[in-house]
Amino acid sequence: MFIHHDYINDLLHETADVSHEEIQDVLNVAKEKKGLTHKQIATLLNIEDHDQLQELFKIAGEIKHDIYGNRVVVFAPLYVSNYCVNNCKYCGYKRDNTFARKKLTREEIQNQVKVLERMGHKRLALEAGEDPVNCDIEYILDAIDAIYTTENKNGVIRRVNVNIAATTVENYKRLKDAQIGTYILFQETYHKPTYEAMHPQSLKGDYAYHLHAFDRAMEGGIDDVGGGVLFGLYDYKFEILSLMLHNDHLEEKFGVGFHTISVPRIKKAEGVDLDMYPHMVDDRTFKKLVAIIRLAVPFTGIILSTRETAAIRKELLQYGISQVSAGSCTEVGGYNDEDHQDMGTQFTLEDHRTPLEVLKGLVGDDYIPSYCTACYRKGRTGDRFMRLAKSGQIHHVCTPNALMTLAEYILDYGDKELHEHGFDLIQKEIDKIDNEKVKTLVKNNIEKMKVGARD
Ligand code: SAM
């Protein structure tokens, strides 16, 4: 086991009464952007002072800007099945909730994908409840194939990330062969007693099996894994330090840590009483913890879903978030207006904007929404991606690609306003490219797109 509860509790104990000066010393170290020790992370988790919090946000913002520039990756989740044998206390899909369960047929998946493609999406996260009978690995593999092969006039979905229950090395090998992008699995909570209490009489209730899922995924050949914690289940300070230990474990054993970290907070759901959760994280603390993750693992993507409001998403993009979902629906079959039924949802959402509205918001704030999947398609995954990211060279590849995918989106799905603001932003960004060859390439490619060429 690599999550040593005693070690984490000792760190939390040692840093519980840190002084203003001790926190300031760590902020000064953080400014050097050379990473942080566990004790330094634990120290920053104690920031309460307004000015120190602002300083933390400023450093996180600089790190984010150095590494990601102003690019923001955009994706959508696709729920294919809500059959679930688990009884996770916090989840609307728990087996005790009695609603008509549904899994999409191949044709229904294709229809959902067509709707998502019409929204302009190129990256999906496939989501499913756990049910070895109704939603086995064959079903998931067929769903992935259905997604990758559903074309519309503007192309196909280029990357399918997968968020399904912890499984075997053999099944991870098959997911790898099916060319998934990142395998995503949230630990929910790293605190073993809480984990067990939250997953009563559930397949998912085996803490060690869930915790070692990424070890098995990497043994199965998957090199991009995405972790996360469901904030609200247990003390956020314990969870952040645990995420770091998990990341260190993967780096030590497989040479690469988390590709992404997700930061969901518990939301209202059918059969879920939010008053039962004494560890709910308020907005101020939430912003702090995202900024600390950015400082602690500068090269790891941080994902924020539509569980959060547009206002918080906008603010957190400044301090560390690098990927956002847009236009999401957590209902199985929910993207398909025609045969929309009132089915169970997993939890409620707070940002109901369409992808077009999300993109207009991003462009309005000078971000480059990116649908780029070139790294994945060129095999720049796992430690190859991390090496490139850490060398800083990735910048020169990502910005031009992001600009081209933005141009493609505007031409295929944009309205008048996005045309105007989006192409202004693209021009401004092209002017900043210092390599003349790259500059010409981007300009020429965009001109070709304007007369119909596509990736
Ligand atoms: N069944 C898979 C599993 O067990 O890992 C897929 C997970 S589910 C589709 C995605 C995530 O939604 C869960 O891992 C959990 O963190 C989150 N979730 C569940 N209930 C939630 C709630 N009430 N509010 C916010 N997020 C929730």
Side-chain angles (χ1 to χ4, degrees):
M1 195 82 77
F2 48 86
I3 301 295
H4 306 289
H5 284 43
D6 288 348
Y7 171 72
I8 298 171
N9 286 329
D10 286 350
L11 274 175
L12 292 174
H13 190 70
E14 270 174 56
T15 52
D17 297 316
V18 280
S19 65
H20 191 272
E21 287 68 34
E22 284 169 298
I23 292 178
Q24 197 54 48
D25 287 346
V26 178
L27 282 171
N28 293 341
V29 172
K31 274 185 215 151
E32 292 169 22
K33 300 173 194 163
K34 290 191 182 135
L36 296 171
T37 64
H38 296 152
K39 183 154 179 206
Q40 288 167 334
I41 295 167
T43 300
L44 292 184
L45 287 166
N46 286 300
I47 294 181
E48 289 302 335
D49 175 77
H50 174 81
D51 291 345
Q52 287 191 324
L53 197 57
Q54 296 311 310
E55 195 171 342
L56 171 73
F57 292 160
K58 186 164 172 282
I59 301 168
E62 285 167 9
I63 291 178
K64 165 143 192 245
H65 191 265
D66 285 356
I67 294 166
Y68 296 89
N70 51 353
R71 302 180 300 277
V72 179
V73 167
V74 181
F75 74 99
L78 172 58
Y79 283 75
V80 293
S81 168
N82 55 24
Y83 280 94
C84 198
V85 295
N86 295 319
N87 225 359
C88 312
K89 289 205 166 149
Y90 47 81
C91 182
Y93 283 172
K94 68 172 91 170
R95 69 166 184 262
D96 277 358
N97 280 353
T98 49
F99 59 90
R101 303 280 166 164
K102 179 165 171 70
K103 71 174 180 188
L104 300 177
T105 62
R106 187 178 170 94
E107 196 189 339
E108 285 169 330
I109 292 173
Q110 289 165 332
N111 288 337
Q112 293 279 282
V113 172
K114 282 179 198 154
V115 177
L116 286 156
E117 285 175 343
R118 282 200 292 275
M119 294 178 183
H121 283 296
K122 305 282 186 224
R123 288 172 168 255
L124 297 185
L126 183 149
E127 312 271 345
E130 179 167 16
D131 188 327
V133 174
N134 290 301
C135 181
D136 61 5
I137 193 71
E138 307 296 338
Y139 173 76
I140 295 293
L141 293 170
D142 192 53
I144 296 167
D145 180 68
I147 297 171
Y148 275 136
T149 53
T150 302
E151 238 178 295
N152 82 348
K153 65 179 186 354
N154 301 318
V156 282
I157 297 296
R158 298 170 184 158
R159 180 174 174 125
V160 182
N161 297 333
V162 171
N163 181 2
I164 60 162
T167 185
T168 59
V169 175
E170 190 48 42
N171 286 347
Y172 286 124
K173 277 189 188 146
R174 299 181 71 188
L175 288 170
K176 171 73 184 174
D177 291 344
Q179 301 187 329
I180 67 163
T182 310
Y183 171 63
I184 297 170
L185 184 70
F186 305 158
Q187 180 59 31
E188 318 300 5
T189 171
Y190 284 93
H191 186 248
K192 191 165 182 273
T194 306
Y195 185 92
E196 287 167 355
M198 286 298 139
H199 305 100
Q201 293 162 345
S202 297
L203 272 185
K204 189 170 168 178
D206 184 339
Y207 176 84
Y209 188 73
H210 198 81
L211 185 64
H212 289 93
F214 290 151
D215 294 63
R216 294 192 298 281
M218 287 186 160
E219 281 158 26
I222 292 175
D223 44 10
D224 284 344
V225 296
V229 154
L230 183 56
F231 287 102
L233 298 185
Y234 190 62
D235 175 18
Y236 74 91
K237 295 180 185 174
F238 185 96
E239 306 290 18
I240 297 288
L241 289 169
S242 300
L243 275 169
M244 297 308 127
L245 291 185
H246 198 168
N247 189 63
D248 293 352
H249 164 77
L250 296 173
E251 265 182 9
E252 278 158 26
K253 192 165 163 191
F254 300 99
V256 60
F258 292 132
H259 187 67
T260 55
I261 290 179
S262 299
V263 290
R265 286 195 283 182
I266 304 185
K267 297 288 165 185
K268 265 206 326 256
E270 180 65 30
V272 178
D273 179 2
L274 291 186
D275 291 339
M276 300 298 288
Y277 296 91
H279 298 287
M280 295 292 274
V281 171
D282 62 28
D283 289 354
R284 185 173 188 266
T285 309
F286 189 52
K287 291 173 204 167
K288 175 174 86 175
L289 71 85
V290 169
I292 291 175
I293 297 175
R294 178 47 67 230
L295 259 54
V297 282
F299 297 97
T300 300
I302 310 182
I303 302 179
L304 193 62
S305 75
T306 55
R307 290 177 184 84
E308 301 297 335
T309 61
I312 290 215
R313 277 154 55 94
K314 177 179 163 112
E315 192 172 346
L316 279 176
L317 279 166
Q318 294 171 45
Y319 314 142
I321 296 300
S322 54
Q323 297 197 20
V324 293
S325 47
S328 308
C329 179
T330 62
E331 199 175 308
V332 174
Y335 290 115
N336 212 339
D337 295 335
E338 294 93 80
D339 59 350
H340 184 284
Q341 292 168 27
D342 192 17
M343 305 244 275
T345 54
Q346 200 189 17
F347 45 78
T348 53
L349 301 179
E350 305 271 353
D351 183 348
H352 299 283
R353 292 173 298 165
T354 62
L356 178 61
E357 286 163 342
V358 171
L359 260 74
K360 286 201 277 194
L362 289 171
V363 167
D365 292 334
D366 270 346
Y367 289 109
I368 312 169
S370 174
Y371 285 101
C372 181
T373 54
C375 280
Y376 160 71
R377 289 188 290 162
K378 297 258 179 201
R380 286 192 296 263
T381 56
D383 59 341
R384 272 195 72 199
F385 169 82
M386 276 299 169
R387 274 203 307 274
L388 220 83
K390 289 180 182 173
S391 73
Q393 288 173 35
I394 200 90
H395 246 332
H396 309 299
V397 185
C398 289
T399 301
N401 281 338
L403 291 174
M404 289 188 280
T405 62
L406 174 59
E408 193 180 357
Y409 179 94
I410 299 171
L411 293 167
D412 291 339
Y413 308 101
D415 60 5
K416 192 164 166 281
E417 183 190 331
L418 189 65
H419 263 263
E420 205 176 293
H421 295 161
F423 278 114
D424 278 356
L425 175 69
I426 289 172
Q427 190 54 54
K428 226 165 55 185
E429 293 294 327
I430 290 178
D431 291 343
K432 286 191 215 158
I433 298 176
D434 43 20
N435 180 324
E436 284 307 317
K437 251 169 92 177
V438 175
K439 195 182 245 181
T440 311
L441 183 84
V442 176
K443 272 195 208 158
N444 289 347
N445 279 351
I446 291 179
E447 286 316 309
K448 282 187 207 154
M449 281 179 201
K450 286 183 178 168
V451 290
R454 287 295 174 272
D455 187 355

